[in-house]
Amino acid sequence: MILLKSFLKNIDDWIAVVSLAGIILLTGVNVILRYFFSNPIPWTEEVTLMLFVWLIFVGMSTAMKYKTHIGVDYFVEKLPKSLKMVADFIRILSIYTVLIYVFIILGAKFIGNVSGKATPILAISYQYINIAVIVGAVFTIVRFTAQIITSYKDTQKGIDA
């Protein structure tokens, strides 16, 4: 039960790791087959493209969890505390807006637009590839919300102390 809970807690990390490992493995095998045997596997490009899309969008959640997104806060750090709070609120609102509107709402429309398209070799629907946009956004929203809650609790502990 503990192992399952740990897996579910880190499912975005696992998806990113499996995607990256798949990309490296398939690309490496295909390079060897192409140059040494002149016989590459034709479907590896499609699969690595799918894995790359999943890696990017689900990896966004992993980056959020470990706070490794690029941020430029030099000027925000120079502001008085009240303006820092306003800037932080604008940042939070902006991130939620992008995640919900751009990734989830527009992502759903995008998935609907590719409903009849399939990859040329494996005939996999592009919907299975592009659903990574929504899945990554949902994972990222969960991670970002957890960060906000943790930050709020830490702030409250600082006030109470």
Side-chain angles (χ1 to χ4, degrees):
M1 186 65 162
I2 294 171
L3 187 61
L4 179 64
K5 195 182 252 186
S6 174
F7 174 76
L8 291 176
K9 183 179 177 187
N10 297 310
I11 193 164
D12 53 344
D13 295 342
W14 283 104
I15 292 170
V17 165
V18 168
S19 296
L20 183 60
I23 290 167
I24 293 168
L25 182 70
L26 286 172
T27 303
V29 166
N30 213 33
V31 165
I32 291 169
L33 291 174
R34 175 173 293 141
Y35 288 106
F36 292 115
F37 302 105
S38 298
N39 191 19
I41 303 169
W43 49 263
T44 56
E45 185 178 344
E46 284 182 12
V47 174
T48 54
L49 175 70
M50 288 183 257
L51 292 173
F52 188 70
V53 169
W54 276 89
L55 173 66
I56 294 303
F57 286 103
V58 175
M60 148 176 91
S61 168
T62 299
M64 183 66 74
K65 179 167 69 172
Y66 295 111
K67 299 179 182 178
T68 55
H69 278 289
I70 295 173
V72 182
D73 60 355
Y74 176 79
F75 294 111
V76 174
E77 291 299 319
K78 301 283 184 196
L79 294 173
K81 187 174 181 176
S82 59
L83 288 177
K84 274 187 196 178
M85 290 174 57
V86 171
D88 199 38
F89 178 75
I90 292 170
R91 177 186 68 89
I92 290 168
L93 188 63
S94 300
I95 291 172
Y96 276 121
T97 301
V98 168
L99 289 171
I100 293 169
Y101 180 71
V102 175
F103 287 105
I104 294 178
I105 295 172
L106 294 181
K109 288 180 182 179
F110 179 59
I111 290 167
N113 290 339
V114 297
S115 62
K117 288 184 170 183
T119 60
I121 297 172
L122 296 175
I124 296 172
S125 173
Y126 277 101
Q127 289 180 319
Y128 295 119
I129 301 168
N130 297 336
I131 194 75
V133 175
I134 295 174
V135 171
V138 169
F139 284 152
T140 305
I141 287 169
V142 169
R143 299 298 184 196
F144 187 58
T145 303
Q147 272 185 13
I148 292 170
I149 291 168
T150 302
S151 177
Y152 177 76
K153 286 180 179 177
D154 290 347
T155 303
Q156 291 303 315
K157 284 180 186 175
I159 292 171
D160 293 341

